[in-house]
Amino acid sequence: MILPIYVYGSGVLRKQAAEVSLDYPDLQQLIVDMWETMHHADGVGLAAPQLGKSMRLFVVDGAAISDDRPELKDFKRVMINPKILEASKQHCSYSEGCLSLPDIHVDIERPEWIEVEYTNEHLEKKSERFAGFACRMIQHEYDHLQGILFTDKAPAIRKKMLQSKLQSIAKGKGKAAYKTVVL
């Protein structure tokens, strides 16, 4: 089922998400709904808080951008209760966007690689190292679980320039090609 995406101004986006109990009722259906919602909105990642659920769960899928980034063709993950174990000291910058902040893009600095421990959709514990754009996608969604939006990491001058756009989204005046909600 396609669900509405909570946008800037929604309190759930600023909360630190709670651990997911692996016996959470309908966990598998929630994951299916997250995939469907993300693909419908033409996203490459979606965290549970973006659907109004303060849970440590997100999905990422690089297939949609694999024409430009062939290494992402088969990159698809469900991460339940992820924990970043290690991150590189070297950083790189890239323009990011977010389904919860429609029509906003900002260059954001992030570590070049990370090591993450998580539980997958089959309830198996995993530990992997990610680099490149896959690393960026995971860090972006992980931040949602921490109550952090990508614009929080923008330089101060850029944040100031975005204020009117952000306030417009918070007032329900943002434009998106998918259903959104501000709560």
Side-chain angles (χ1 to χ4, degrees):
M1 172 181 4
I2 296 170
L3 302 170
I5 296 175
Y6 285 58
V7 294
Y8 184 86
S10 299
V12 69
L13 296 177
R14 292 305 192 171
K15 285 182 170 177
Q16 184 149 346
E19 291 280 314
V20 177
S21 169
L22 298 183
D23 62 355
Y24 179 84
D26 298 321
L27 178 61
Q28 295 303 318
Q29 184 60 51
L30 175 58
I31 293 168
V32 168
D33 292 346
M34 289 177 73
W35 285 125
E36 193 173 344
T37 301
M38 182 192 75
H39 289 127
H40 175 76
D42 292 327
V44 295
L46 187 68
Q50 292 178 275
L51 298 178
K53 301 192 178 297
S54 187
M55 303 168 57
R56 297 188 67 75
L57 164 66
F58 65 78
V59 298
V60 289
D61 185 354
I65 56 174
S66 64
D67 286 348
D68 294 330
R69 299 180 178 281
E71 72 277 10
L72 296 176
K73 180 177 175 258
D74 297 317
F75 177 71
K76 186 175 183 176
R77 298 286 188 287
V78 172
M79 293 193 172
I80 303 167
N81 299 326
K83 177 190 255 181
I84 294 178
L85 303 175
E86 192 177 355
S88 76
K89 297 202 183 326
Q90 298 78 28
H91 287 75
C92 57
S93 182
Y94 190 82
S95 180
E96 292 186 23
C98 181
L99 296 174
S100 291
L101 289 94
D103 291 327
I104 293 183
H105 294 85
V106 179
D107 285 344
I108 301 297
E109 292 239 345
R110 294 194 184 270
E112 290 181 357
W113 60 262
I114 56 172
E115 185 173 336
V116 183
E117 180 180 87
Y118 64 97
T119 300
N120 69 13
E121 67 274 28
H122 306 293
L123 307 183
E124 303 165 327
K125 275 277 203 193
K126 298 282 185 178
S127 183
E128 289 185 84
R129 184 174 280 211
F130 300 96
F133 203 78
C135 173
R136 180 165 297 275
M137 291 164 62
I138 289 168
Q139 290 178 80
H140 178 104
E141 299 309 326
Y142 184 88
D143 278 353
H144 277 297
L145 307 183
Q146 305 298 104
I148 298 168
L149 299 173
F150 78 101
T151 52
D152 298 340
K153 296 178 178 269
I157 187 75
R158 187 71 171 115
K159 284 185 206 174
K160 186 98 172 135
M161 293 168 53
L162 291 172
Q163 279 307 310
S164 65
K165 271 188 168 182
L166 292 172
Q167 291 310 312
S168 181
I169 293 169
K171 291 176 183 171
K173 297 178 183 175
K175 292 183 177 128
Y178 43 89
K179 188 173 181 179
T180 62
V181 65
V182 181
L183 290 177

